[in-house]
Amino acid sequence: SQKIEQNSEALNIQEGKTATLTCNYTNYSPAYLQWYRQDPGRGPVFLLLIRENEKEKRKERLKVTFDTTLKQSLFHITASQPADSATYLCALGGNTPLVFGKGTRLSVIA
Amino acid sequence: SQTIHQWPATLVQPVGSPLSLECTVEGTSNPNLYWYRQAAGRGLQLLFYSVGIGQISSEVPQNLSASRPQDWQFILSSKKLLLSDSGFYLCAWSVGGLGNQPQHFGDGTRLSIL
């Protein structure tokens, strides 16, 4: 069955540094990969979508890479701020509904 | 602009009682609609999705059911709640394909079963 692993349950990083979150998957060949942000008690908010034929996508301080050979996506937040503290979810999809990872809880420490 | 509403925000129900959670979407036509449950440490689990009025697909066998009586309305129901039904229930919408478009979530219902 499909399996999605996000590198760790929690990640602590100092303000100003680059946060890097990992999403690995097995038994799946998704055409699309998405990243979401979720704050406590709220629904996830869409951040970025990347297609299998795209290597990298950027949006402001966010960057996503998608390596279909390694079956891995990296999500980077540059110049991280305490306001970036949240849980980040990766999700894989194509013609079938999205499958979500369990998320990584990021804490940016001032 | 599009908006999604879910209510109630929190709900405490006894075991064996019925359930009805409602989700409405405004500002878009013929959206795909989704119900998810998020339990601690288990991530987002897709329960049901709908690509049109009266069309429901179930992803996980359970004692829950879903209905879509209007294009903009998605309802999650149960006749008899179990303790294991506790969790954070989220409704979402998207347009276009099921897994190739962003999904937009409501703020969820926290359901506690006593």
Side-chain angles (χ1 to χ4, degrees):
Chain A
S1 61
Q2 304 158 355
K3 190 174 180 182
I4 302 172
E5 288 186 353
Q6 295 194 238
N7 56 327
S8 58
E9 286 191 17
L11 181 66
N12 296 326
I13 192 166
Q14 200 168 9
E15 182 178 9
K17 301 293 185 183
T18 296
T20 299
L21 284 64
T22 304
C23 177
N24 295 296
Y25 58 92
T26 56
N27 298 327
Y28 199 12
S29 296
Y32 300 83
L33 192 146
Q34 303 184 27
W35 283 88
Y36 291 77
R37 169 185 172 138
Q38 186 175 22
D39 291 291
R42 306 294 299 274
V45 174
F46 169 76
L47 296 175
L48 283 167
L49 178 151
I50 187 167
R51 296 172 176 78
E52 61 179 342
N53 60 352
E54 298 177 313
K55 296 296 183 185
E56 180 181 299
K57 187 164 266 190
R58 294 173 184 260
K59 179 182 176 183
E60 297 173 352
R61 294 183 296 112
L62 308 180
K63 185 178 86 171
V64 172
T65 63
F66 191 8
D67 190 326
T68 56
T69 301
L70 291 178
K71 293 186 180 292
Q72 181 181 81
S73 174
L74 299 179
F75 177 78
H76 306 273
I77 305 175
T78 58
S80 58
Q81 306 165 0
D84 295 326
S85 298
T87 295
Y88 292 85
L89 308 171
C90 73
L92 282 64
N95 294 326
T96 54
L98 287 177
V99 178
F100 282 84
K102 292 182 181 180
T104 296
R105 188 173 64 251
L106 174 68
S107 297
V108 181
I109 303 162
Chain B
S1 64
Q2 303 91 351
T3 55
I4 180 169
H5 301 279
Q6 266 189 265
W7 65 93
T10 59
L11 189 59
V12 180
Q13 293 283 100
V15 170
S17 64
L19 173 74
S20 181
L21 300 181
E22 187 164 349
C23 171
T24 60
V25 178
E26 298 174 4
T28 185
S29 296
N30 196 30
N32 297 325
L33 297 175
Y34 310 85
W35 277 112
Y36 290 90
R37 177 169 58 208
Q38 190 173 36
R42 295 193 61 183
L44 273 172
Q45 180 186 35
L46 179 63
L47 302 175
F48 301 95
Y49 67 91
S50 170
V51 298
I53 296 174
Q55 300 179 62
I56 308 294
S57 295
S58 174
E59 290 292 294
V60 182
Q62 60 215 310
N63 71 321
L64 299 171
S65 62
S67 62
R68 184 171 179 177
Q70 309 283 348
D71 183 47
W72 43 267
Q73 186 182 30
F74 205 22
I75 298 171
L76 184 69
S77 304
S78 174
K79 292 182 179 178
K80 280 188 175 183
L81 285 167
L82 306 172
L83 282 174
S84 58
D85 291 323
S86 292
F88 189 43
Y89 287 81
L90 289 156
C91 180
W93 67 270
S94 70
V95 291
L98 291 173
N100 60 8
Q101 297 294 327
Q103 291 189 10
H104 307 279
F105 287 81
D107 274 339
T109 294
R110 178 76 58 189
L111 176 64
S112 298
I113 310 300
L114 302 179

